[in-house]
Amino acid sequence: MFEEAKWITAGNRMGEISPEFKKKISFEKMPVKAIAHVTAMGVYELRINGSKVGDALMTPGWTSYSNRVQYQSYDITQQLTETTQIGILCGKGWALGNLGFSHLSKVYCDEIAARMQLELTYEDGSIETVVTDPTWEVWTSQILDSELYHGETVDLTTEPLCVGFAAEKTGITASPVLHVGEFVREQERVTAKKLIITPKGEKVIDFGQNLAGYVEIHVKGKRGDKIVLTHAEVLDSEGNFYTENYRTARNRNVYVLSGGEDVFKPRFCFQGYRYIRLDEYPFEEIDLSAFTSVAIYSDMKRIGYFHCGDERINQLYSNTLWGQRSNFIDVPTDCPQRDERLGWTGDAQVFCRTASINYHTERFFQKWLGDMMLEQTEEGAVYGIVPVVGELTARISAAWGDAATVCPWEIYQAYGNKELLRSHYDMMKKWVEYMHRYGDEEYLWMGEPYHYGDWLSMDTTENDVAGKRGGTQLDFVATAFFAYSTELVIKAGRVLGEDVSYFEDMYKKIKKAFRAVFMKDGMSVIYPKCDGIYHKRPIHDVTQTTLTLILRFGLYEEEERQAIVERLVQMIRDNGNRMTTGFVGTPYLLHVLSENGYADVAYDLLLQEKAPSWLFSVIHGATTMWEHWDSLREDGSFWLTEMNSFNHYAYGAVCDWLFGGAAGIHVLDDGAAYTHVSIVPHPDRRLGHLDFSIDTGHGILASAWCYNGNELRYNLTIPEGTVAEVQLPGGKVSSLSAGKYLFVESC
Ligand code: BGC
């Protein structure tokens, strides 16, 4: 593909303006088939006779551009006319716009470039191709500037001009590959809820839902009049518009009216927001119906549904769904609003299972893991973000790099695609080998300088950026994950029929080494030889996270288990039924409690309203997950400006416990795609009732329970092709195949 097509650019004549590359073709005979294959360094829209083709946004998507760039194929047979104007309108996108918190730009290319091959088939079977080359014209457009972080400026009074012919661009290393991911499209449309005039006199519109996308505005006004709008996720304690947590991202759209009926929305960027401020607006009256907030995200099929008798938990679930929608825009990102929006591997690793239950994420992750494979170093290292951007983000960390084993395994468990797992298997092994070879201790992963640790945990001193580097020893986390990843390689290898004896042996040795230095008398302990450059930070022998990881990753001996769980419960109780865990410990905490006989404590944490807790943000009006447990504090002040997103999905991983713990459906190691599951529900009267269902691809699998006086009723639906090992709290155990079942226990 694209052999004859050249990369073309505007030859540095455009400044910030979005160029459109144009070519007119005249047909004597109309082709019976016309397929256009298009890509860009930047983002593009294919236009035929001035109209956009298709409804995908932000094409060609974000990949590891130094290795590959996707192209999209469009059937444009129906749109062709005797004389057809083909246009490729481009923006800077990820390849050229500002990217990353180190304020880089032109990370992947120094000028917007486009490439296209049009294949025309005629009735007699002959084929003709039209390709991008220096005979294409370069035109200015009405998009005067467009930046992912900063917003878009559109002037409908300007007339696009031809500035000459395109220049050929050489030296682009990205090979074009056919689109592998999901297309980003417009999804939910949210109406404006209210107009607020803030104490500062700002005109603010509240849409009632934080999301990622853009505001579509329908207006008719005077030619040349201007609308300027800025976005925000929250208002401050006084009720004024608050944008400081966006850091340098301006999130500001500027529109100049044509004088006719205008519809404005950005083409090549999006914002993360709940509110907009009208900095300039040419009308006295603000008609809210002119404004619609449009969510955009990768078009994945929704497959999981949850509802229970506690509205706060339902809101938490909704916040998680919105966190996923906002951050699954082609790449799994940390947040969709500030000058970051990067493919942080740790965040994705933590949230992968929840995400894959909410939506069918197979293609979405296939694409991203494909980039991860391309960027894995020869030694096997996987960076903190994928696609990697600049040196800072090339840091390597435990629980982040482990996305290389966790995500492939979770995707396999969710959808059962063995070939996909096979394609990831080498990456998984190489990552484990990286940890194995690092440093002088073969079976401990020690001394890696940039671990993020139990990121954002609450058990360090206030000055330590409120737990930024956690109270849990970094090398403890690293070695625990080394063991976990090795275990996942073993599981994957068994599924694939590989010889895993080498990794089984390695696992035993890691566990032994871990226990020798990080455990004493059946409890976790600090290993004084550890923790490289951060050795001066306050760390503790025992933290909620150390105990959680020991339990979750099976690093204990059976006789130690009870004492470890009891200590964990005691620590939670001593902290007022609250957790201190960060990114690393939190996703597993409720699981280890319910699996070890303390479902009531898991519910105490789930239903806790005081920070740190999930419901703290819910009762304070959150509509998405917050980055930090108290991003907005009780007294109305904000947590750290520079790390304070209100739309970070990581802690939404708690839903994986709602599905797998409370409803109790868990995919067994030999039961990928829900063919063999366990159903071990953990009911609690405080929720009243709970319903969870998932479309497995071979039918609906559902677990529901309901308290009714002194009766507890369980309704289970098992689809064809699934065997469920059921264990109810009252002791009933059975192996069920397809059917609908009702069990009643007294309580
Ligand atoms: C991101 C996180 C990410 C972290 C790495 C932050 O800036 O927003 O979610 O995982 O950096 O430590």
Side-chain angles (χ1 to χ4, degrees), residues 101 247 334-335 338 340 344-347 384-385 400 452 455-456 468-469 583 627 642-643 645 648 650:
F101 43 80
R247 307 197 297 219
D334 53 338
C335 55
R338 66 182 179 218
E340 201 150 357
W344 281 104
T345 46
D347 306 43
I385 65 161
W400 271 249
Y452 297 116
W455 182 254
L456 302 184
K468 192 168 170 183
R469 302 223 184 273
F583 269 37
E627 178 172 21
E642 58 268 26
M643 201 64 76
S645 146
H648 238 69

Side-chain angles (χ1 to χ4, degrees), residues 116-128:
M116 161 165 169
Q117 179 158 324
L118 172 61
E119 288 170 358
L120 303 165
T121 310
Y122 294 93
E123 207 160 10
D124 61 4
S126 59
I127 291 179
E128 198 188 334

Side-chain angles (χ1 to χ4, degrees), residues 327-565:
N327 286 295
F328 275 48
I329 299 180
D330 207 48
V331 161
T333 54
D334 53 338
C335 55
Q337 74 297 72
R338 66 182 179 218
D339 53 2
E340 201 150 357
R341 314 183 194 186
L342 303 171
W344 281 104
T345 46
D347 306 43
Q349 177 269 114
V350 159
F351 190 64
C352 184
R353 185 184 292 178
T354 297
S356 306
I357 294 171
N358 290 335
Y359 284 91
H360 196 281
T361 62
E362 185 174 337
R363 280 180 69 95
F364 178 85
F365 273 108
Q366 180 178 358
K367 165 179 166 286
W368 185 65
L369 290 170
D371 291 310
M372 188 183 285
M373 288 195 282
L374 288 168
E375 292 184 348
Q376 185 172 33
T377 67
E378 250 167 59
E379 297 75 38
V382 171
Y383 296 130
I385 65 161
V386 173
V388 71
V389 180
E391 267 169 41
L392 256 186
T393 44
R395 293 173 174 183
I396 295 150
S397 168
W400 271 249
D402 294 280
T405 50
V406 175
C407 296
W409 178 248
E410 291 296 341
I411 296 303
Y412 170 70
Q413 285 286 82
Y415 313 117
N417 185 341
K418 235 185 228 186
E419 283 322 300
L420 189 58
L421 180 64
R422 187 176 300 286
S423 73
H424 297 143
Y425 190 55
D426 271 349
M427 168 173 73
M428 298 172 77
K429 288 192 296 186
K430 270 175 75 181
W431 168 244
V432 165
E433 276 304 336
Y434 173 79
M435 297 185 273
H436 179 204
R437 299 250 158 82
Y438 193 92
D440 351 305
E441 305 256 12
E442 203 178 349
Y443 298 105
L444 297 172
W445 184 12
M446 284 177 22
E448 182 83 59
Y450 286 112
H451 285 307
Y452 297 116
D454 192 17
W455 182 254
L456 302 184
S457 73
M458 303 294 282
D459 47 13
T460 44
T461 55
E462 192 61 29
N463 299 338
D464 187 22
V465 213
K468 192 168 170 183
R469 302 223 184 273
T472 299
Q473 190 158 33
L474 299 175
D475 293 323
F476 175 103
V477 173
T479 303
F481 268 86
F482 178 20
Y484 179 45
S485 273
T486 307
E487 191 191 342
L488 294 181
V489 166
I490 295 167
K491 286 184 179 186
R494 284 190 188 136
V495 166
L496 298 171
E498 300 281 335
D499 175 3
V500 291
S501 47
Y502 169 77
F503 290 101
E504 283 170 337
D505 180 57
M506 187 187 291
Y507 180 82
K508 281 189 205 130
K509 289 176 173 149
I510 300 168
K511 182 168 170 178
K512 191 165 169 225
F514 175 91
R515 292 178 51 76
V517 302
F518 291 113
M519 289 185 73
K520 192 165 178 250
D521 304 326
M523 271 304 141
S524 54
V525 74
I526 294 173
Y527 180 37
K529 273 172 76 182
C530 286
D531 270 25
I533 61 172
Y534 293 126
H535 66 280
K536 288 207 184 85
R537 45 179 212 115
I539 47 174
H540 310 291
D541 278 309
V542 181
T543 66
Q544 291 184 16
T545 291
T546 59
L547 301 179
T548 300
L549 294 189
I550 290 172
L551 288 167
R552 189 63 173 170
F553 296 164
L555 297 165
Y556 56 87
E557 294 300 333
E558 188 48 39
E559 62 277 13
E560 298 161 349
R561 185 157 65 108
Q562 192 55 28
I564 297 172
V565 185

